[in-house]
Structures are given as structure tokens and as C-alpha cells.
């Protein structure tokens, strides 16, 4: 079920009405059933995978906590890792590895032909496997106690607002909220509604309209004019941000209505001045997961600059691969790894700079703009269907840059679509408060909501369309 | 303020009122801006245009699609590629929500601004909705309420949402519904289904051929729900109806009757079904559905009057017979007639402008032609029909690939493909005129 569709509206109305009248234990059971219905709506066969992951990690978690032998604990952790990463590997990367291996062998003049397996990518598998892994790893490190309640653990894994593309929650954050009774307050409900409304606006107006600019240019017969490509890159940067931020906001809003707090996933990422700051603002749940469970165990930055560079590259490569089974994603990860490494080796002074010694605002703005353009090059790799196309577009960007009337109009269209978003986000940035809109006087809020509603109805796209991050 | 129910309601209502007022303002400002943009774009193109100038007048069916996908835009690119050696500029002067009265009022201004060589006119669909020409004039409050853009937007939205569409049984719940009784088309649709669904269809047709009614019925009911067979609903419904009629299962037949085209109904269907007073509302609903899917046909009105006769409602029966006569007589809506008369009286002062009257997709143009004979000055107008091309296209494509909605009953706003069909048809006519 997509969030911006009528079946989901009906679904959530029923779920929420039940939620308000049931006691805590029954709330959890109802939410679990609802989450499985939500997930099974795409394809009931996917449920088997999530159940396997849930069961394995539940048992492993209990086993690790109960045993005292290090070898046994490590063994159970390995079981959990292999199961989850194995599920991910088979269902997401099998064909990718086979194809790459086949191409390698062909390059060595060894012809191979094995069947291309018809594997459907289960929705959200990258998210919930990481979420359950965080549970087992945290238990292994002694950071938390396991839960003996299977139903509640299953709900932690399958919680429907964030199951499909939502913030990758940590067990320490979400599990206690599930295990303990929650309070549903009017203020929480209103705040949840605000978040959902803002998310829907981002998705149905900004992201949907930007897609209409981006898709024609990235199509095989798309424009080769450099200015068009540049506009499409700018548009895609904001399209993917809005798409993903919308999903996260709606997820957070739904959870807030239920009295559950999910972590913030985006904090004005394009306000970042350098790669390090970018990854503290973009897809925070994934980047912090990779930092805590991959980068730091590898050694982090403790073993000198070269090992740090290695660790950064490995982490970003795997982060890129996480997004999808294609070399363009790996290249995207590699590119970000290089940016991070370069920044660390060249500009990093060891700790965050003092506010007093920070460069002047103008210099910061220039740095910001430069870095923004570096990031949109990375989005080129992310969006392109193939390396060949990426190369084509880059050459078009550099060699075929023409200021035609139509290209300028396209750029202006892009600007107009993003204008409401930019205004709100600059406001959020200046006040350093993501919820600034929801704290205004009710007349201001009503006016802004009226404008947002008009934009969605009059210009936006009302049909349910997929969120980009669903394929992950 | 105390948190009492009264206070909460007061707060909510106040906020809702402010919200509605702001939204209404937004609609007005937005409409003004987008109209202004369209006009300024047209005027810019006018300055740089040469060769033949064609203006396309109409409502949202004309305007829909914007700079690349509306039918005037596609017309221009088709004419450019036609290789006739002439240059063409096509101006899209369609305005959503405006009826023929608006066009007649502005025609003079447009002729003076654009100096067209050809005028293409596709209007009339919105005329029945003008208050002045309805049989019962609404009161002032109702009129003002209906004029609010917010209200109009709401009614459009609820008409478009899948939930509402499912309740509007006379409009059809499935966008890709196209009436075809073509066995070949059915076989083609079945061939594109996955293997297990194809098997059901073969089993169903075989069971039907061998008069294994229960089995055939069960399979047909399953088939009619398949997403891949939505374009064949009428075909499947006919078969279901035939079985049920043989079994004399009249309640079930009444349930499936809306899906069966009226020309497939067995003789005396209305007489037999309406003999049971419980089935009467269902039959009436089915007849109404036929009226929306076949707006130009006369027979549904006959069926309706037969229904009312049996129900003992002579007044309603008389009204239906009157409507049948009107449908047969091909009368235009009175507002359309007045507007067209005014249009052609203006056009007599511009004898060098060619006028093309184009009918909406899938609608009959002979009525229009018949009516035009009574309007002075309309003798030289050229008529373009969009029937054959769309019926052919609908045998190959699903409804939703050609139309975005059902605003015209059997047709609606076009997708780029749908608009292209109109444009190709029109291009042929225009090139013939200019030769």
C-alpha cells in the first residue's frame, strides 16, 4: 500500500480507531496484524522472508544474552549476520553477482550461460534486515537486553510506518516504546497530522512535478543540451530528497499519531558545507547505522589516516551497494567515499571548528554551493541507468552547453516548483528548527496549508505513484 | 480557554472558514496567473509566427495537455512534419471551464488579435451545465455556492477518486472499460494474460459452448474481475447475461445488466424484469448506465419509458418519450444553438477564414451537421468527426491509455495518445482545405 493512496487511508483509519480503544497488549497485537497486512498487500510471499528474519534474530538475541562462552556468542551472532545478509544477498544481489561474474569470465574468454534467476526484490528488505541486525549486534555488545516477547519483537521488525522505506530504527530506541504502554495525546496527534500533511505536499507536489522534468531528460532519447542536463540534475537532487523526506515525514507522522517517536532522517542536507556534515544530515538512520556497525568496528579513525581512508571507502562502497544491485550505485558510493576521504585528509582539523573561528558566512555559502554541485554529480551516477549513459550526460554537460529559450524555461519551471520548498526550508534553517512551521500562529499555519492544498490540487499529481526508495 | 466540546468546535469551524477563504483566493489568483501565462505565451508566438495561423477554440478538452501534449500542440508538430512545404502556427485558445457562450463573446477579439486562417471549434459539452438554461433555475445562494472554486474542485475530486467512482455505478468503476463485442478483440486480450488466467478463459468459453451453465458462470464471474480483461467486460457480461436469462435467474441478471450494452439485451427484457417490483430500481439503474455510455442513442430512452410505464409512473414515462424524440430529432442544447448563431453571424464578416467544427471524441457528428443546416452562415463550415479513429484505437488500447477520465461519459480528457488521435484527424482535414 502506498501512503498516498485510498486503500491506505481506509487502512489507517481502521487501525487508528482500534488503537485508541484497545489496551496496550492488544494494541501491539493489532499493530502486528496490521503491519503484516500492510506488508502482505504487495505480495503475501514476502511475509515468509520477514518472518524468517524475525524468528532467527529473536532466537539469536536470546541465545547471545543467555550464554557466557564467547565462542558460542560469536557463533550465534554469525548465524544472525549470515541469515540476514544472506537473505539480502540472495534476493537483492544474486543476479547482480551472477551477471558480473559472467561478464568477468567472458572477458577472460570463458563463455558461460547460466539462467537468469527470476527473483522478485522483496519490498523493504534492505531496511528490516538492517533493523534486526542492529538488535542482535547491540545485544552482542552488551548494550541492551533482549526481549522475551516474540510478538513485540515481531512488531519492532515489521512496524508498518517505517517498514518499507522508513528510518532504520535502533532497537534501543524503538523496542522500549513498543514494550511499554504509550500515551496518545491530542498534541501528538496534531503534530503527527502536520508531519503527514507536509510529507504529502512534498511527495504530491514537489517530487511528482520534478519527476516530470527529470524523467524526460534521463530517458534514452532525452535532451543532450548541457543546460537541460544541469536542470535535470538540480531537479533530481531535490526530487530524491523530497521523495525520501516525504516518506520519512509521513512515517514519523503516522508513528507520532500512535504515540511512538521515530528518529529524524533528514536535517536539511543541502545546507551542508562538507561531506562529513552531509552524511550527518542525509539519511541519518542509514549513515549512523553504517557508522556504528561498520565503520567503527573496522577501526574508524583510530589507526591513522590511511586506515581511516580505507575504512571510509569500504563503508561508502557498501553503503552504495546497499541502495541497489548495480554498478552505478557502487560508483555513487565510491564517489562519496572519495569525497569523504578527500575532505578528511585535506580539510579536517581533528574536531568541529569553533563558532568564533568559522569562516565568514559568505565563504561558507560559497563552500556550500561548491559542495552542492559535487553532490549533484553523485546523483548523476545514482539516477543513470548505465555507465554509458552517465558518460554521455557528463560529456553533454561539458561540451554541449547551450542557452536555448526552452532550456531556460525548463530551469525556471524547476525553480518555481521548488520555490515553496526552499522558502520553508530556508525558514527552518534560519531558525534551526525543523518544526518551525507547526509552531506558528494558527492563522499563518492555515494560510500556508491553504496554499499547499491549492498547489497539490491545482498543479500536483493526485494519483498514487511509487516512492523512489521503495526499490530498496 | 476551557477544553470543552463547544470550544473545540468553535476553533475548528473558525479555522476551516479561514482555510476555505484562503483556498478560494488561491484558486482565483492561480487561475488568473495561469490564464495570463497562456495568453502571453500565445502572443509571443504570434509575434514570431508566419505562414498559416490556426486557432483552436474550446474548453478543457482543448486546453488539456499543455505545451506539448494538448491536441493543438501535437497538431502543429504533425503539420510541420507533413512535408507540405507550408508553415503553420497553431494557437491553443482553449480555456477550461468555459462554455460556448464565452467563445462566442470573445471570438471577435481573437480574430482581431490573431488574424487566423483557420478556426477549429470543439465546444458544447459544458453548455448543459449553465444555470440559465436549466429547467429549474437555482436560487441565488445555490448559484453562488456552485460558483465557488473550492466547491467545484471538491466535486471534481470526489468524482475522480476511485472510492467515489466505485459508487457511481452509472459512470463505470474501471477506467479502461471499452465496449466491444468483438470475438477477435476478446481473444487478443486473453492471449496477453498469464498462462493460468488464460486457462480459465478457455475453460469458461468451452463450458459455455457445452451449456455447462454453473461452471461457465463461476468462471465468467472470475474473469470479469481480472485486471487484464477490463476492456472485455461487456463481452463477458453479455455471456453471463445470456446464461442467466436462460436460467430465468432475473435478480442476478439485473445485477449484471448495467454492464451489457443495450443493443444486446434480449427482447422484452424490461417487460420481464420489471414485472418484479424489487428488480425495477436495478433495471432503471442499468438503463441510466446505458444513457451515459451511449449518450447519442435513442433506444435507452425508449427502454426507460417502458420501465416507467410498467412502474405506473406515467409522467416520468412521458418525459422519457419526449427525450427520446429529442434524441432522435438531434436537437442541440439551446445555449449551444444561440452561441453558434452568434459565432456564425460574426464569421460572415470574415469570409476568408475557414471554419472547422470538430465533434468531441466518440460522439456522433451527424446531429451537429443536421443542426447546422438551420443556422445562417454555417453552410461553409467543415465537420470533423472523431468516432472511427477512437473506436479503432480502443480495440487496441485500454481506455485509460487514451483518456484520463470520464468527464464526457464515454470519453474524457485525452492522454497524449488520445490527443494525438484528434490532432492527426484534424491535420488531414486542414491539409485538404488548404490544397
Amino acid at each position: 500500500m502506498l501512503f498516498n493512496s485510498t486503500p491506505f487511508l481506509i487502512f489507517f483509519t481502521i487501525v487508528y480507531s482500534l488503537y485508541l480503544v484497545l489496551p496496550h497488549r492488544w494494541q501491539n497485537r493489532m499493530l502486528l496484524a496490521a503491519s503484516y497486512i500492510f506488508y502482505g498487500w504487495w505480495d503475501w510471499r514476502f511475509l515468509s522472508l520477514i518472518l524468517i528474519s524475525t524468528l532467527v534474530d529473536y532466537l539469536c538475541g536470546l541465545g547471545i544474552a543467555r550464554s557466557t562462552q564467547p565462542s558460542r556468542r560469536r557463533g550465534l551472532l554469525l548465524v544472525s549476520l549470515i541469515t540476514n545478509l544472506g537473505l539480502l544477498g540472495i534476493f537483492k544481489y544474486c543476479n547482480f553477482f551472477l551477471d558480473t561474474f559472467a561478464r568477468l569470465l567472458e572477458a577472460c574468454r570463458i563463455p558461460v550461460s547460466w539462467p537468469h534467476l527470476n527473483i522478485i526484490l522483496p519490498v523493504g528488505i534492505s531496511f528490516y534486515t538492517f533493523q534486526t541486525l542492529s538488535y542482535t549486534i547491540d545485544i552482542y555488545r552488551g548494550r541492551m537486553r533482549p526481549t522475551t516477547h516474540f510478538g513485540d519483537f515481531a512488531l519492532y521488525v515489521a512496524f508498518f510506518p517505517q517498514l518499507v522505506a522508513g528510518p532504520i530504527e535502533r532497537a534501543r530506541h524503538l523496542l522500549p516504546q513498543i514494550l511499554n504502554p504509550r500515551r496518545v495525546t491530542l498534541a501528538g496527534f496534531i503534530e503527527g497530522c502536520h508531519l503527514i500533511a507536509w510529507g504529502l505536499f512534498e511527495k504530491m507536489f514537489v517530487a511528482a512535478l520534478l519527476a516530470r522534468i527529470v524523467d524526460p531528460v534521463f530517458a534514452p532519447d532525452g535532451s543532450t543540451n548541457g543546460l537541460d542536463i544541469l536542470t535535470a540534475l538540480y531537479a533530481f537532487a531535490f526530487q530524491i530528497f523530497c521523495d525520501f523526506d516525504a516518506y520519512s515525514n509521513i512515517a514519523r507522522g503516522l508513528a507520532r499519531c500512535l504515540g511512538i517517536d521515530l528518529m529524524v532522517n533528514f536535517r536539511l542536507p543541502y545546507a551542508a558545507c562538507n561531506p562529513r556534515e552531509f552524511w550527518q544530515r542525509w539519511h541519518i538512520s542509514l549513515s549512523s547505522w553504517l557508522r556504528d556497525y561498520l565503520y567503527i568496528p573496522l577501526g574508524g579513525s583510530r589507526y591513522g589516516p590511511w586506515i581511516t581512508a580505507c575504512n571510509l571507502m569500504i563503508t561508502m562502497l557498501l553503503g552504495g551497494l546497499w541502495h541497489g544491485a548495480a554498478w552505478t550505485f557502487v560508483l555513487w558510493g565510491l564517489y562519496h567515499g572519495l569525497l569523504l576521504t578527500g575532505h578528511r585528509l585535506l580539510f579536517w582539523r581533528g574536531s568541529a571548528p569553533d563558532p568564533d573561528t568559522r569562516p565568514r558566512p559568505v565563504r561558507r555559502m560559497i563552500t556550500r554551493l561548491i559542495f552542492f554541485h559535487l553532490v549533484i554529480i553523485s546523483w548523476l551516477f545514482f539516477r543513470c541507468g548505465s555507465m554509458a549513459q552517465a558518460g554521455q550526460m557528463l560529456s553533454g554537460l561539458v561540451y554541449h552547453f547551450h542557452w536555448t529559450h526552452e532550456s531556460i524555461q525548463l530551469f525556471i519551471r524547476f525553480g518555481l516548483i521548488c520555490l515553496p520548498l526552499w522558502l520553508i526550508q530556508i525558514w527552518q534553517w534560519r531558525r534551526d528548527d525543523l518544526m518551525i512551521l507547526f509552531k506558528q500562529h494558527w492563522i499563518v499555519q492555515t494560510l500556508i496549508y491553504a496554499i499547499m492544498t491549492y498547489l497539490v490540487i491545482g498543479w500536483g499529481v493526485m494519483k498514487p505513484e511509487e516512492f523512489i526508495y521503495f526499490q530498496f | 480557554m476551557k477544553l470543552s466540546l463547544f470550544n473545540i468546535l468553535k476553533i475548528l469551524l473558525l479555522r476551516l472558514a479561514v482555510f476555505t477563504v484562503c483556498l478560494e483566493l488561491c484558486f482565483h489568483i492561480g487561475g488568473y496567473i495561469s490564464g495570463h501565462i497562456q495568453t502571453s505565451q500565445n502572443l509571443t508566438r504570434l509575434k514570431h509566427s508566419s505562414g498559416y495561423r490556426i486557432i483552436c477554440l474550446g474548453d478543457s478538452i482543448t486546453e488539456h495537455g499543455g505545451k506539448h501534449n494538448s491536441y493543438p500542440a501535437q497538431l502543429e508538430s504533425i503539420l510541420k512534419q507533413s512535408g507540405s512545404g507550408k508553415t503553420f502556427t497553431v494557437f491553443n485558445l482553449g480555456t477550461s471551464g468555459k462554455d460556448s457562450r464565452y467563445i462566442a463573446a470573445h471570438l471577435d477579439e481573437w480574430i482581431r488579435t490573431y488574424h487566423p486562417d483557420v478556426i477549429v471549434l470543439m465546444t458544447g459539452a459544458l453548455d448543459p451545465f449553465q444555470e440559465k438554461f436549466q429547467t429549474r433555475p437555482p436560487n441565488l445562494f445555490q448559484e453562488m455556492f456552485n460558483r465557488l472554486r473550492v466547491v467545484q474542485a471538491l466535486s471534481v475530486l470526489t468524482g475522480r477518486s476511485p472510492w467515489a467512482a466505485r459508487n457511481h455505478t452509472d459512470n463505470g468503476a474501471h477506467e479502461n472499460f471499452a465496449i466491444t463485442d468483438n470475438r477477435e478483440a476478446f481473444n487478443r486480450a486473453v492471449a496477453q494474460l498469464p498462462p493460468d488466467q488464460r486457462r480459465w478463459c478457455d475453460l469458461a468459453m468451452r463450458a459455455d459452448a457445452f451449456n455447462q451453465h454453473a461452471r461457465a458462470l463461476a468462471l465468467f464471474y472470475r474473469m470479469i474481475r481480472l485486471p487484464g480483461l477490463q476492456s472485455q467486460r461487456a463481452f463477458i457480461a453479455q455471456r453471463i447475461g445470456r446464461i442467466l436469462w436462460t436460467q430465468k435467474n432475473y435478480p442476478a441478471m439485473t445485477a449484471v445488466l448495467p454492464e451489457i450494452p443495450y443493443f444486446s439485451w434480449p427482447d422484452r427484457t424490461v417487460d420481464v424484469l420489471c414485472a418484479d417490483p424489487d428488480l425495477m430500481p436495478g433495471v432503471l439503474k442499468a438503463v441510466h448506465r446505458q444513457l451515459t455510455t451511449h449518450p447519442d442513442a435513442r433506444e435507452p430512452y425508449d427502454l426507460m419509458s417502458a420501465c416507467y410505464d410498467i412502474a405506473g409512473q406515467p409522467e416520468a414515462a412521458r418525459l422519457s418519450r419526449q427525450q427520446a424524440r429529442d434524441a432522435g430529432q438531434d436537437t442541440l442544447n439551446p445555449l449551444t444553438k444561440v452561441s453558434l448563431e452568434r459565432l456564425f453571424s460574426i464569421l460572415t464578416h470574415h469570409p476568408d477564414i475557414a471554419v472547422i467544427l470538430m465533434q468531441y471524441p466518440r460522439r456522433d457528428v451527424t446531429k451537429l451537421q443536421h443542426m447546422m443546416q438551420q443556422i445562417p452562415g454555417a453552410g461553409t463550415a467543415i465537420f470533423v468527426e472523431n468516432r472511427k479513429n477512437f473506436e479503432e484505437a480502443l480495440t487496441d488500447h485500454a481506455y485509460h491509455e487514451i483518456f484520463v477520465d470520464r468527464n464526457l461519459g464515454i470519453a474524457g480528457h485525452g492522454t497524449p495518445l488520445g490527443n494525438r488521435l484528434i490532432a492527426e484527424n484534424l491535420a488531414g482535414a486542414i491539409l485538404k482545405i488548404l490544397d
Side-chain angles (χ1 to χ4, degrees):
Chain A
M1 260 181 268
L2 294 167
F3 280 163
N4 54 337
S5 70
T6 327
F8 181 76
L9 183 64
I10 303 165
F11 168 82
F12 188 68
T13 316
I14 299 174
V15 166
Y16 199 55
S17 320
L18 287 172
Y19 188 82
L20 290 175
V21 297
L22 290 173
H24 172 239
R25 280 278 135 231
W26 280 98
Q27 275 178 347
N28 283 0
R29 288 176 196 144
M30 188 269 304
L31 281 178
L32 182 61
S35 300
Y36 283 150
I37 293 175
F38 177 81
Y39 192 57
W41 194 268
W42 268 282
D43 196 330
W44 59 268
R45 293 171 293 181
F46 295 163
L47 286 172
S48 54
L49 296 174
I50 198 174
L51 279 168
I52 292 174
S53 178
T54 311
L55 197 62
V56 165
D57 283 314
Y58 172 72
L59 295 171
C60 283
L62 285 174
I64 293 175
R66 284 193 189 141
S67 79
T68 44
Q69 301 164 307
S71 58
R72 190 179 159 81
R73 303 182 84 224
R74 224 184 336 214
L76 283 172
L77 179 66
L78 266 174
V79 167
S80 166
L81 277 170
I82 291 176
T83 314
N84 282 307
L85 295 176
L87 275 178
L88 200 55
I90 294 174
F91 283 89
K92 192 162 167 177
Y93 299 106
C94 195
N95 281 321
F96 174 64
F97 289 142
L98 290 178
D99 284 344
T100 315
F101 197 49
R103 261 192 277 168
L104 251 165
L105 289 178
E106 270 169 27
C108 301
R109 304 270 200 284
I110 308 172
V112 282
S113 69
W114 45 45
H116 189 93
L117 298 167
N118 203 4
I119 301 175
I120 320 171
L121 176 61
V123 178
I125 191 169
S126 315
F127 292 87
Y128 68 74
T129 46
F130 272 33
Q131 201 157 306
T132 52
L133 273 178
S134 91
Y135 175 74
T136 21
I137 298 177
D138 274 350
I139 293 178
Y140 179 77
R141 289 180 179 170
R143 295 257 180 88
M144 70 175 288
R145 310 275 324 140
T147 173
T148 49
H149 200 284
F150 182 70
D152 284 352
F153 179 70
L155 181 57
Y156 160 72
V157 180
F159 188 49
F160 72 87
Q162 41 95 273
L163 172 61
V164 178
I168 302 175
E169 277 292 337
R170 303 299 180 79
R172 275 177 291 153
H173 186 228
L174 181 56
L175 198 51
Q177 293 187 71
I178 290 179
L179 293 173
N180 301 319
R182 302 164 285 270
R183 280 192 63 220
V184 178
T185 59
L186 185 63
F189 176 72
I190 293 178
E191 194 178 291
C193 288
H194 282 319
L195 282 167
I196 296 174
W198 176 242
L200 285 176
F201 171 73
E202 278 184 310
K203 173 62 184 166
M204 289 161 76
F205 179 73
V206 189
L209 287 183
L210 286 177
R212 290 194 183 161
I213 293 183
V214 171
D215 293 342
V217 178
F218 277 85
D221 57 349
S223 164
T224 47
N225 184 357
L227 182 55
D228 279 344
I229 297 177
L230 186 64
T231 309
L233 280 177
Y234 285 152
F236 183 68
F238 286 100
Q239 180 199 347
I240 191 163
F241 165 68
C242 278
D243 207 81
F244 208 359
D245 193 39
Y247 190 95
S248 301
N249 280 330
I250 298 177
R252 281 185 63 216
L254 292 169
R256 198 81 181 79
C257 289
L258 298 172
I260 294 178
D261 180 52
L262 295 179
M263 67 191 293
V264 174
N265 218 3
F266 291 90
R267 247 186 246 282
L268 307 172
Y270 294 130
C273 298
N274 55 61
R276 187 174 195 276
E277 201 184 334
F278 180 74
W279 284 101
Q280 286 168 341
R281 292 171 177 264
W282 176 276
H283 204 170
I284 298 172
S285 62
L286 176 68
S287 63
S288 62
W289 195 101
L290 289 171
R291 181 197 64 206
D292 291 339
Y293 298 111
L294 187 56
Y295 179 65
I296 290 183
L298 281 175
S301 56
R302 281 173 292 168
Y303 297 119
W306 293 111
I307 306 278
T308 309
C310 266
N311 292 339
L312 277 174
M313 292 302 296
I314 295 175
T315 309
M316 289 316 294
L317 257 165
L318 290 176
L321 194 57
W322 176 92
H323 279 80
W327 284 110
T328 43
F329 293 122
V330 176
L331 197 64
W332 174 81
L334 191 73
Y335 181 83
H336 270 284
L338 285 171
L339 284 180
L340 274 168
T341 315
H343 172 255
R344 187 155 195 113
L345 293 177
L346 297 172
F347 299 107
W348 189 240
R349 303 272 176 267
S351 58
D354 235 343
D356 300 325
T357 61
R358 275 201 309 183
R360 287 197 321 274
V362 176
R363 174 123 174 255
R364 279 213 304 280
M365 188 55 72
I366 298 179
T367 321
R368 216 169 254 135
L369 281 172
I370 297 177
F371 179 66
F372 177 69
H373 283 81
L374 288 174
V375 170
I376 65 171
I377 302 286
S378 80
W379 289 130
L380 176 68
F381 296 121
F382 193 87
R383 176 67 174 79
C384 273
S386 68
M387 309 286 290
Q389 190 189 17
Q392 246 175 11
M393 297 189 81
L394 271 174
S395 78
L397 194 57
V398 176
Y399 296 121
H400 300 266
F401 202 90
H402 306 298
W403 293 92
T404 64
H405 180 64
E406 282 190 1
S407 304
I408 296 178
Q409 284 212 325
L410 190 69
F411 186 80
I412 293 177
R413 209 171 107 202
F414 151 73
L416 285 174
I417 295 172
C418 283
L419 192 62
L421 176 76
W422 289 338
L423 289 174
I424 302 282
Q425 295 226 300
I426 291 175
W427 192 16
Q428 287 174 327
W429 178 53
R430 298 302 296 170
R431 299 292 196 87
D432 198 21
D433 184 0
L434 286 178
M435 305 293 278
I436 186 71
L437 174 57
F438 311 139
K439 294 180 183 166
Q440 299 305 305
H441 189 270
W442 68 268
I443 290 189
V444 175
Q445 280 190 46
T446 312
L447 179 65
I448 294 183
Y449 278 126
I451 297 177
M452 273 166 45
T453 312
Y454 167 68
L455 287 175
V456 169
I457 297 179
W459 303 89
V461 177
M462 303 283 287
K463 288 204 211 82
E465 283 169 7
E466 296 250 323
F467 288 92
I468 295 181
Y469 261 76
F470 267 27
Q471 20 172 332
F472 312 134
Chain B
M1 213 191 278
K2 273 205 312 222
L3 200 71
S4 68
L5 189 63
F6 178 67
N7 281 330
I8 291 181
L9 271 175
K10 238 183 15 182
I11 295 174
L12 273 177
L13 282 175
L14 183 59
R15 295 193 187 196
L16 194 61
V18 174
F19 178 79
T20 314
V21 167
C22 292
L23 191 56
E24 183 72 18
L25 270 173
C26 285
F27 272 117
H28 283 281
I29 297 175
Y32 175 77
I33 292 179
S34 76
H36 195 68
I37 291 177
Q38 193 198 21
T39 320
S40 70
Q41 277 176 353
N42 273 335
L43 289 177
T44 324
R45 292 176 61 223
L46 178 65
K47 266 199 293 206
H48 300 132
S49 72
S50 58
Y52 289 102
R53 281 190 278 266
I54 305 168
I55 59 174
C56 296
L57 310 178
D59 45 36
S60 56
I61 309 275
T62 305
E63 188 185 3
H64 180 76
K67 261 207 322 189
H68 297 287
N69 295 323
S70 61
Y71 91 74
Q74 301 204 44
L75 177 66
E76 182 168 311
S77 69
I78 292 175
L79 286 172
K80 279 209 181 94
Q81 293 165 3
S82 65
S84 64
K86 311 188 181 78
T87 45
F88 297 92
T89 321
V90 181
F91 296 94
N92 187 342
L93 298 179
T95 320
S96 300
K98 297 298 183 192
D99 52 25
S100 63
R101 198 172 20 174
Y102 175 84
I103 294 179
H106 286 82
L107 181 65
D108 209 25
E109 176 196 330
W110 287 331
I111 293 181
R112 273 185 283 119
T113 316
Y114 291 94
H115 301 291
D117 301 295
V118 182
I119 296 181
V120 180
L121 198 53
M122 183 159 70
T123 182
L126 285 166
D127 294 352
F129 300 104
Q130 299 315 307
E131 299 91 17
K132 225 187 269 186
F133 289 86
Q134 283 175 354
T135 45
R136 268 180 304 123
N139 57 44
L140 186 65
F141 177 72
Q142 204 173 7
E143 201 173 310
M144 278 178 54
F145 186 71
N146 287 337
R147 278 194 197 283
L148 282 178
R149 306 277 178 104
V150 177
V151 170
Q152 292 174 17
L154 266 176
S155 58
V156 165
L157 279 176
T158 49
R160 268 201 217 146
S161 80
W163 181 244
R166 228 165 267 138
N167 279 336
H168 286 182
T169 49
D170 51 342
N171 242 343
H174 300 275
E175 300 259 299
N176 45 357
F177 173 80
I179 298 178
T180 163
D181 310 309
N182 208 322
R183 183 65 189 258
E184 280 76 41
F186 175 77
N187 288 338
R188 258 181 285 153
V190 168
Q192 290 173 7
L193 294 174
D196 52 340
Q197 292 178 0
R198 238 183 293 149
R199 223 171 43 91
W200 295 353
C201 299
D202 293 341
L203 285 173
M205 298 306 286
R206 216 176 313 153
D208 194 27
F210 287 112
N211 287 329
Q212 294 167 350
H213 293 312
R215 193 170 195 206
L217 265 182
L219 287 166
F220 280 134
Y221 274 123
R222 236 176 160 190
M223 275 163 60
I224 207 170
R225 274 193 266 278
L226 291 177
L229 283 182
Q230 286 310 303
S231 61
Q232 305 301 318
R233 278 183 82 91
F235 184 85
I236 303 173
Q238 282 168 349
R239 287 185 146 54
I240 296 178
R242 191 168 62 184
I243 298 177
L244 293 171
W245 183 255
T246 319
Q247 292 177 329
K248 299 202 197 313
N249 185 348
Y250 299 133
M253 170 127 183
T254 314
V256 82
L257 201 61
E259 304 279 4
I260 307 178
Y262 67 88
F263 43 78
S264 307
W265 292 10
D267 291 340
R268 307 191 63 241
T269 301
V270 167
D271 296 339
V272 171
L273 292 180
C274 290
D276 183 351
D278 292 332
L279 297 180
M280 167 80 70
V283 176
L284 266 175
K285 205 160 58 163
V287 174
H288 278 293
R289 170 78 180 272
Q290 299 308 312
L291 283 173
T292 35
T293 49
H294 300 88
D296 303 329
R298 187 210 158 104
E299 288 81 331
Y301 289 106
D302 289 337
L303 293 167
M304 200 154 71
S305 62
C307 264
Y308 283 124
D309 275 336
I310 299 176
Q313 296 181 26
E315 186 56 22
R318 195 193 59 82
L319 189 61
S320 309
R321 272 193 286 273
Q322 175 67 39
Q323 283 170 316
R325 271 200 295 274
D326 290 343
Q329 263 180 13
D330 314 319
T331 46
L332 279 176
N333 180 291
L335 173 58
T336 317
K337 185 154 177 286
V338 164
S339 307
L340 286 174
E341 281 169 357
R342 190 172 162 192
L343 272 164
F344 280 103
S345 73
I346 297 175
L347 286 168
T348 48
H349 299 299
H350 302 275
D352 47 337
I353 301 182
V355 178
I356 297 182
L357 286 166
M358 190 158 63
Q359 181 56 293
Y360 290 95
R362 298 186 78 190
R363 284 211 173 168
D364 188 8
V365 84
T366 51
K367 283 172 54 163
L368 200 56
Q369 282 171 315
H370 190 81
M371 209 43 235
M372 283 296 122
Q373 289 167 6
Q374 301 175 19
I375 295 182
T380 52
I382 298 163
F383 295 89
V384 169
E385 190 181 42
N386 282 305
R387 214 177 205 189
K388 256 201 241 106
N389 52 348
F390 276 92
E391 298 305 335
E392 266 172 29
L394 279 167
T395 56
D396 289 324
H397 298 276
Y399 183 94
H400 69 263
E401 290 173 348
I402 301 188
F403 297 113
V404 171
D405 50 43
R406 286 193 164 267
N407 282 8
L408 291 173
I410 48 168
H413 295 90
T415 59
L417 174 60
N419 284 339
R420 189 178 177 79
L421 291 169
I422 301 177
E424 282 170 355
N425 201 7
L426 196 51
I430 290 181
L431 287 171
K432 242 192 284 181
I433 299 175
L434 296 173
D435 275 336

